[in-house]
Coordinates of all heavy atoms in Angstrom, one line a residue:
C6 N -1.1 -17.1 9.5 CA -0.9 -17.8 10.8 C -2.2 -17.8 11.6 O -2.2 -18.5 12.6 CB 0.3 -17.3 11.6 SG 0.0 -15.6 12.2
G7 N -3.1 -16.9 11.3 CA -4.4 -16.9 12.1 C -4.4 -16.0 13.3 O -5.4 -15.9 14.0
R8 N -3.2 -15.4 13.6 CA -3.2 -14.5 14.8 C -3.7 -13.2 14.5 O -3.9 -12.8 13.3 CB -1.7 -14.4 15.3 CG -1.2 -15.8 15.8 CD 0.1 -15.5 16.6 NE 0.6 -16.8 17.2 CZ 1.4 -17.6 16.7 NH1 2.0 -17.4 15.5 NH2 1.8 -18.7 17.4
E9 N -4.0 -12.4 15.5 CA -4.5 -11.0 15.3 C -3.5 -10.1 14.8 O -2.3 -10.1 15.1 CB -5.0 -10.5 16.7 CG -6.0 -9.3 16.6 CD -7.3 -9.6 15.9 OE1 -7.8 -10.8 16.0 OE2 -7.7 -8.7 15.2
M10 N -3.9 -9.2 13.8 CA -3.0 -8.3 13.2 C -3.2 -6.9 13.7 O -4.3 -6.6 14.3 CB -3.2 -8.3 11.7 CG -3.0 -9.6 11.0 SD -3.2 -9.6 9.2 CE -1.7 -9.0 8.7
E11 N -2.2 -6.0 13.6 CA -2.3 -4.6 14.0 C -2.6 -3.7 12.8 O -2.0 -3.8 11.8 CB -1.0 -4.1 14.6 CG -0.5 -4.9 15.8 CD 0.9 -4.4 16.2 OE1 1.1 -3.2 16.3 OE2 1.7 -5.3 16.4
Q12 N -3.6 -2.8 13.0 CA -3.9 -1.9 11.9 C -3.0 -0.7 12.0 O -2.6 -0.2 13.0 CB -5.4 -1.4 12.0 CG -5.8 -0.5 10.9 CD -7.2 0.0 11.0 OE1 -7.9 -0.4 11.9 NE2 -7.6 0.7 10.0
G13 N -2.5 -0.2 10.8 CA -1.7 1.0 10.7 C -1.7 1.5 9.3 O -2.7 1.2 8.6
V14 N -0.7 2.3 8.9 CA -0.7 2.8 7.6 C 0.7 2.7 7.0 O 1.7 2.6 7.8 CB -1.0 4.3 7.6 CG1 -2.5 4.6 8.0 CG2 -0.1 5.2 8.4
I15 N 0.8 2.6 5.7 CA 2.1 2.8 5.0 C 1.9 4.1 4.2 O 0.9 4.3 3.5 CB 2.3 1.6 4.0 CG1 2.5 0.3 4.8 CG2 3.5 1.9 3.1 CD1 2.7 -0.9 4.0
Q16 N 2.8 5.0 4.4 CA 2.7 6.3 3.8 C 4.0 6.8 3.1 O 5.1 6.2 3.4 CB 2.2 7.3 4.8 CG 3.2 7.6 5.9 CD 2.6 8.6 6.9 OE1 1.5 8.4 7.4 NE2 3.3 9.6 7.2
S17 N 3.8 7.7 2.2 CA 4.9 8.2 1.5 C 4.6 9.6 1.0 O 3.4 10.0 0.9 CB 5.2 7.3 0.3 OG 6.2 7.9 -0.6
T18 N 5.6 10.4 0.6 CA 5.3 11.7 0.0 C 5.1 11.5 -1.5 O 4.7 12.5 -2.2 CB 6.5 12.6 0.1 OG1 7.7 12.0 -0.3 CG2 6.7 13.0 1.6
Y19 N 5.2 10.3 -2.0 CA 5.0 10.0 -3.4 C 3.9 9.0 -3.6 O 3.4 8.5 -2.6 CB 6.3 9.3 -4.0 CG 7.5 10.2 -3.9 CD1 8.5 10.0 -2.9 CD2 7.7 11.3 -4.8 CE1 9.6 10.8 -2.7 CE2 8.8 12.1 -4.6 CZ 9.7 11.8 -3.6 OH 10.8 12.7 -3.5
E20 N 3.5 8.8 -4.8 CA 2.4 7.8 -5.2 C 2.9 6.4 -4.7 O 4.0 6.0 -4.9 CB 2.2 7.8 -6.7 CG 1.2 6.9 -7.2 CD 1.0 7.1 -8.7 OE1 0.2 7.9 -9.1 OE2 1.7 6.4 -9.4
L21 N 2.0 5.6 -4.1 CA 2.3 4.3 -3.7 C 1.7 3.3 -4.8 O 0.6 3.4 -5.1 CB 1.6 3.9 -2.4 CG 2.2 4.6 -1.2 CD1 1.3 4.3 0.1 CD2 3.6 4.2 -0.9
N22 N 2.6 2.5 -5.3 CA 2.3 1.6 -6.4 C 2.7 0.2 -6.2 O 3.7 -0.1 -5.4 CB 2.9 2.0 -7.7 CG 2.5 3.4 -8.2 OD1 1.3 3.7 -8.2 ND2 3.5 4.2 -8.5
W23 N 2.0 -0.8 -6.8 CA 2.5 -2.1 -6.9 C 2.9 -2.3 -8.4 O 2.2 -1.9 -9.3 CB 1.4 -3.1 -6.6 CG 1.9 -4.6 -6.7 CD1 2.4 -5.3 -5.8 CD2 1.8 -5.3 -7.9 NE1 2.7 -6.6 -6.3 CE2 2.4 -6.6 -7.6 CE3 1.4 -5.1 -9.2 CZ2 2.5 -7.6 -8.6 CZ3 1.6 -6.1 -10.2 CH2 2.1 -7.3 -9.8
Q24 N 4.1 -2.9 -8.6 CA 4.6 -3.2 -9.9 C 5.2 -4.6 -9.9 O 5.7 -5.1 -8.9 CB 5.6 -2.2 -10.4 CG 5.0 -0.8 -10.4 CD 6.0 0.3 -10.9 OE1 6.2 0.5 -12.0 NE2 6.7 0.9 -9.9
K25 N 5.3 -5.2 -11.1 CA 5.9 -6.5 -11.2 C 7.4 -6.5 -10.9 O 7.9 -7.5 -10.5 CB 5.6 -7.2 -12.6 CG 4.2 -7.6 -12.7 CD 4.0 -8.4 -14.0 CE 2.6 -8.9 -14.2 NZ 2.4 -9.7 -15.3
K26 N 8.0 -5.4 -11.2 CA 9.5 -5.3 -10.9 C 9.8 -3.9 -10.6 O 9.1 -2.9 -10.9 CB 10.3 -5.8 -12.1 CG 10.0 -5.0 -13.4 CD 10.8 -5.6 -14.6 CE 10.6 -4.8 -15.8 NZ 11.3 -5.3 -17.0
R27 N 11.0 -3.7 -10.1 CA 11.5 -2.4 -9.7 C 11.8 -1.6 -11.0 O 12.4 -2.2 -11.9 CB 12.7 -2.5 -8.9 CG 13.2 -1.2 -8.3 CD 14.4 -1.5 -7.5 NE 14.8 -0.3 -6.8 CZ 14.8 -0.1 -5.5 NH1 14.4 -1.1 -4.7 NH2 15.1 1.1 -5.0
R28 N 11.4 -0.4 -11.1 CA 11.6 0.5 -12.3 C 12.2 1.8 -11.9 O 12.0 2.3 -10.7 CB 10.3 0.6 -13.0 CG 9.8 -0.7 -13.6 CD 8.7 -0.4 -14.6 NE 8.3 -1.6 -15.3 CZ 7.2 -2.2 -15.3 NH1 6.2 -1.8 -14.5 NH2 7.0 -3.3 -16.0
L29 N 12.8 2.5 -12.8 CA 13.3 3.8 -12.5 C 12.3 4.8 -12.1 O 12.4 5.6 -11.2 CB 14.1 4.3 -13.8 CG 14.8 5.6 -13.6 CD1 15.9 5.6 -12.5 CD2 15.4 6.0 -15.0
M30 N 11.1 4.8 -12.8 CA 10.1 5.8 -12.5 C 9.0 5.1 -11.7 O 8.5 4.0 -12.1 CB 9.5 6.3 -13.8 CG 10.5 7.1 -14.7 SD 11.1 8.6 -13.9 CE 9.7 9.6 -14.0
N31 N 8.5 5.7 -10.7 CA 7.5 5.1 -9.8 C 6.2 5.8 -10.1 O 5.6 6.5 -9.3 CB 7.9 5.3 -8.3 CG 6.9 4.6 -7.4 OD1 6.3 3.6 -7.8 ND2 6.7 5.2 -6.2
R32 N 5.6 5.6 -11.3 CA 4.3 6.2 -11.7 C 3.5 5.1 -12.3 O 3.9 4.5 -13.3 CB 4.5 7.3 -12.7 CG 5.3 8.5 -12.0 CD 4.9 9.8 -12.5 NE 3.8 9.9 -13.4 CZ 3.8 10.6 -14.5 NH1 4.9 11.3 -14.9 NH2 2.7 10.7 -15.2
S33 N 2.3 4.8 -11.7 CA 1.5 3.8 -12.2 C 0.9 4.0 -13.6 O 0.7 3.1 -14.4 CB 0.3 3.5 -11.3 OG -0.5 4.7 -11.2
D34 N 0.8 5.3 -14.0 CA 0.2 5.6 -15.3 C 1.2 5.3 -16.5 O 0.9 5.4 -17.6 CB -0.3 7.0 -15.4 CG 0.8 8.1 -15.2 OD1 1.9 7.7 -14.7 OD2 0.5 9.2 -15.5
M35 N 2.5 5.0 -16.1 CA 3.5 4.8 -17.1 C 3.6 3.3 -17.5 O 4.3 3.0 -18.5 CB 4.9 5.3 -16.6 CG 4.9 6.8 -16.4 SD 6.5 7.4 -15.9 CE 7.5 7.1 -17.3
Y36 N 3.1 2.4 -16.7 CA 3.2 1.0 -16.9 C 1.9 0.3 -16.8 O 1.1 0.4 -15.8 CB 4.2 0.4 -15.9 CG 5.5 1.1 -15.8 CD1 5.7 2.0 -14.8 CD2 6.4 1.0 -16.8 CE1 6.9 2.7 -14.7 CE2 7.6 1.7 -16.8 CZ 7.9 2.5 -15.7 OH 9.0 3.2 -15.7
E37 N 1.5 -0.5 -17.9 CA 0.2 -1.1 -17.9 C 0.0 -2.2 -16.8 O -1.2 -2.4 -16.4 CB -0.2 -1.6 -19.2 CG 0.5 -2.9 -19.6 CD 0.0 -3.4 -21.0 OE1 0.0 -2.6 -21.9 OE2 -0.4 -4.6 -21.1
D38 N 1.0 -2.7 -16.3 CA 0.9 -3.8 -15.2 C 0.9 -3.2 -13.8 O 0.7 -3.9 -12.9 CB 2.0 -4.8 -15.4 CG 3.4 -4.3 -15.1 OD1 3.6 -3.0 -15.2 OD2 4.3 -5.1 -14.8
A39 N 1.1 -1.9 -13.7 CA 1.2 -1.3 -12.3 C -0.2 -1.0 -11.8 O -1.2 -0.8 -12.5 CB 1.9 0.0 -12.4
I40 N -0.3 -1.1 -10.4 CA -1.6 -0.8 -9.7 C -1.3 0.4 -8.7 O -0.4 0.2 -7.9 CB -2.1 -2.0 -9.0 CG1 -2.5 -3.1 -10.0 CG2 -3.3 -1.6 -8.1 CD1 -2.9 -4.4 -9.3
C41 N -2.0 1.4 -8.9 CA -1.9 2.6 -7.9 C -2.6 2.2 -6.6 O -3.8 2.0 -6.6 CB -2.4 3.8 -8.5 SG -2.2 5.2 -7.4
L42 N -1.8 2.1 -5.5 CA -2.4 1.8 -4.2 C -3.0 3.1 -3.6 O -4.0 3.1 -2.9 CB -1.4 1.2 -3.3 CG -0.8 -0.1 -3.8 CD1 0.3 -0.6 -2.9 CD2 -1.8 -1.2 -4.1
S43 N -2.3 4.2 -3.8 CA -2.7 5.5 -3.3 C -2.0 6.6 -4.1 O -0.8 6.7 -4.2 CB -2.3 5.7 -1.8 OG -2.6 6.9 -1.3
P44 N -2.8 7.5 -4.8 CA -2.2 8.5 -5.6 C -1.6 9.6 -4.7 O -1.9 9.7 -3.5 CB -3.4 9.1 -6.3 CG -4.6 8.8 -5.5 CD -4.3 7.5 -4.8
M45 N -0.6 10.3 -5.3 CA 0.1 11.3 -4.6 C -0.8 12.5 -4.4 O -1.5 12.9 -5.3 CB 1.4 11.7 -5.3 CG 2.4 12.4 -4.5 SD 2.4 14.2 -4.4 CE 2.4 14.8 -6.0
S46 N -0.8 13.1 -3.2 CA -1.5 14.3 -2.9 C -0.5 15.3 -2.3 O 0.2 15.0 -1.4 CB -2.7 14.1 -1.9 OG -3.2 15.3 -1.4
F47 N -0.5 16.5 -2.9 CA 0.5 17.5 -2.4 C 0.2 17.8 -1.0 O 1.2 18.0 -0.2 CB 0.4 18.7 -3.3 CG 1.3 19.8 -2.9 CD1 2.7 19.7 -3.2 CD2 0.9 20.9 -2.2 CE1 3.6 20.7 -2.8 CE2 1.8 21.9 -1.8 CZ 3.1 21.8 -2.1
W48 N -1.0 17.9 -0.5 CA -1.3 18.3 0.8 C -1.4 17.1 1.8 O -1.0 17.3 3.0 CB -2.7 19.0 0.9 CG -2.7 20.3 0.0 CD1 -3.3 20.5 -1.2 CD2 -1.9 21.5 0.3 NE1 -3.0 21.7 -1.6 CE2 -2.2 22.4 -0.7 CE3 -1.1 21.9 1.4 CZ2 -1.6 23.6 -0.7 CZ3 -0.6 23.1 1.4 CH2 -0.8 24.0 0.3
K49 N -1.8 15.9 1.4 CA -1.9 14.8 2.3 C -0.8 13.7 2.1 O -0.8 12.8 2.9 CB -3.3 14.2 2.1 CG -4.4 15.1 2.5 CD -5.8 14.4 2.5 CE -6.1 13.8 1.2 NZ -7.4 13.1 1.2
G50 N 0.0 13.8 1.1 CA 0.9 12.7 0.8 C 0.0 11.5 0.3 O -1.1 11.7 -0.2
S51 N 0.6 10.4 0.3 CA -0.2 9.2 0.0 C -0.1 8.2 1.1 O 0.9 8.0 1.7 CB 0.2 8.6 -1.4 OG 1.5 8.2 -1.3
A52 N -1.2 7.4 1.3 CA -1.2 6.5 2.4 C -2.2 5.4 2.1 O -3.2 5.7 1.5 CB -1.4 7.1 3.8
V53 N -2.0 4.2 2.6 CA -2.9 3.1 2.6 C -3.0 2.4 3.9 O -2.0 2.4 4.7 CB -2.6 2.0 1.5 CG1 -2.7 2.6 0.1 CG2 -1.2 1.5 1.7
T54 N -4.2 2.0 4.3 CA -4.4 1.2 5.5 C -3.7 -0.1 5.3 O -3.8 -0.7 4.2 CB -5.9 1.0 5.8 OG1 -6.5 2.3 5.9 CG2 -6.1 0.2 7.1
A55 N -3.0 -0.5 6.3 CA -2.2 -1.8 6.2 C -2.4 -2.6 7.5 O -2.5 -1.9 8.6 CB -0.8 -1.6 5.9
W56 N -2.4 -3.9 7.5 CA -2.5 -4.7 8.6 C -1.1 -5.5 8.8 O -0.7 -6.1 7.8 CB -3.6 -5.7 8.5 CG -4.9 -4.9 8.5 CD1 -5.5 -4.4 7.4 CD2 -5.8 -4.7 9.6 NE1 -6.7 -3.8 7.7 CE2 -6.9 -3.9 9.1 CE3 -5.7 -5.0 10.9 CZ2 -7.9 -3.5 9.9 CZ3 -6.7 -4.5 11.7 CH2 -7.8 -3.8 11.2
L57 N -0.5 -5.4 10.0 CA 0.8 -6.0 10.2 C 0.6 -7.2 11.1 O 0.0 -7.2 12.2 CB 1.7 -5.0 10.9 CG 3.0 -5.5 11.5 CD1 4.0 -5.8 10.4 CD2 3.6 -4.5 12.5
C58 N 1.3 -8.3 10.7 CA 1.4 -9.5 11.6 C 2.9 -9.6 12.0 O 3.8 -9.9 11.2 CB 1.0 -10.8 10.9 SG 1.2 -12.2 11.9
R59 N 3.1 -9.3 13.3 CA 4.5 -9.4 13.8 C 5.0 -10.8 14.0 O 6.2 -11.0 14.0 CB 4.6 -8.7 15.2 CG 4.3 -7.2 15.1 CD 4.5 -6.5 16.4 NE 4.1 -5.1 16.3 CZ 4.9 -4.1 16.0 NH1 6.2 -4.3 15.7 NH2 4.5 -2.9 15.9
D60 N 4.1 -11.8 14.0 CA 4.5 -13.2 14.2 C 5.1 -13.8 12.9 O 6.0 -14.5 13.0 CB 3.3 -14.0 14.7 CG 2.9 -13.6 16.1 OD1 3.8 -13.6 17.0 OD2 1.7 -13.4 16.3
C61 N 4.5 -13.4 11.8 CA 5.0 -14.0 10.5 C 5.6 -13.0 9.6 O 5.9 -13.3 8.4 CB 4.0 -14.9 9.9 SG 2.5 -14.2 9.5
N62 N 5.7 -11.7 10.0 CA 6.3 -10.7 9.2 C 5.7 -10.4 7.9 O 6.3 -10.3 6.9 CB 7.8 -10.9 9.0 CG 8.6 -11.1 10.3 OD1 8.4 -10.3 11.2 ND2 9.4 -12.1 10.4
K63 N 4.3 -10.4 7.9 CA 3.5 -10.1 6.7 C 2.7 -8.8 6.9 O 2.4 -8.5 8.0 CB 2.6 -11.2 6.4 CG 3.2 -12.6 6.3 CD 4.0 -12.8 5.1 CE 4.4 -14.2 4.9 NZ 5.6 -14.3 4.1
I64 N 2.5 -8.1 5.8 CA 1.6 -7.0 5.8 C 0.6 -7.2 4.7 O 0.9 -7.6 3.6 CB 2.4 -5.7 5.5 CG1 3.4 -5.4 6.6 CG2 1.5 -4.5 5.3 CD1 4.3 -4.2 6.4
V65 N -0.7 -6.9 5.1 CA -1.8 -7.0 4.2 C -2.3 -5.6 3.9 O -2.6 -4.8 4.8 CB -2.9 -7.9 4.8 CG1 -4.2 -7.9 3.8 CG2 -2.4 -9.3 5.0
I66 N -2.5 -5.3 2.6 CA -3.0 -3.9 2.2 C -4.3 -4.1 1.4 O -4.3 -4.9 0.5 CB -1.9 -3.2 1.3 CG1 -0.7 -3.0 2.1 CG2 -2.5 -1.9 0.8 CD1 0.5 -2.5 1.2
D67 N -5.3 -3.4 1.8 CA -6.5 -3.3 1.0 C -6.5 -2.0 0.2 O -6.5 -0.9 0.7 CB -7.7 -3.3 2.0 CG -9.1 -3.3 1.3 OD1 -9.1 -3.2 0.0 OD2 -10.1 -3.3 2.0
Y68 N -6.4 -2.2 -1.1 CA -6.3 -1.0 -2.0 C -7.6 -0.7 -2.7 O -7.7 0.1 -3.6 CB -5.2 -1.1 -3.0 CG -5.4 -2.2 -4.1 CD1 -5.9 -1.8 -5.3 CD2 -5.0 -3.5 -3.9 CE1 -6.1 -2.7 -6.3 CE2 -5.1 -4.4 -4.9 CZ -5.7 -4.0 -6.1 OH -5.8 -5.0 -7.1
S69 N -8.7 -1.2 -2.2 CA -10.1 -0.9 -2.8 C -10.4 0.5 -2.5 O -9.9 1.1 -1.5 CB -11.1 -1.9 -2.2 OG -11.3 -1.7 -0.8
P70 N -11.3 1.1 -3.3 CA -11.6 2.5 -3.1 C -12.2 2.8 -1.7 O -11.9 3.9 -1.1 CB -12.7 2.8 -4.1 CG -12.4 1.8 -5.2 CD -11.9 0.6 -4.5
K71 N -12.9 1.9 -1.1 CA -13.4 2.1 0.3 C -12.3 2.2 1.3 O -12.6 2.7 2.4 CB -14.4 1.0 0.6 CG -13.8 -0.3 0.8 CD -14.8 -1.4 1.3 CE -14.3 -2.8 1.3 NZ -13.0 -2.9 2.0

Side-chain angles (χ1 to χ4, degrees):
C6 70
R8 293 191 174 99
E9 198 61 35
M10 300 180 84
E11 298 175 48
Q12 183 178 1
V14 297
I15 295 177
Q16 64 185 51
S17 174
T18 54
Y19 302 101
E20 181 177 270
L21 292 172
N22 298 312
W23 177 93
Q24 299 179 86
K25 287 187 178 185
K26 62 183 181 179
R27 189 180 187 114
R28 295 190 168 118
L29 182 61
M30 300 295 291
N31 184 32
R32 295 214 6 228
S33 63
D34 61 346
M35 295 180 71
Y36 308 102
E37 74 177 52
D38 65 341
I40 296 173
C41 181
L42 303 176
S43 178
M45 202 267 309
S46 166
F47 180 76
W48 297 108
K49 297 189 299 183
S51 63
V53 291
T54 300
W56 296 86
L57 170 72
C58 180
R59 292 184 188 269
D60 292 310
C61 58
N62 301 316
K63 304 289 187 204
I64 294 176
V65 176
I66 298 171
D67 181 358
Y68 69 93
S69 64
K71 66 176 176 50

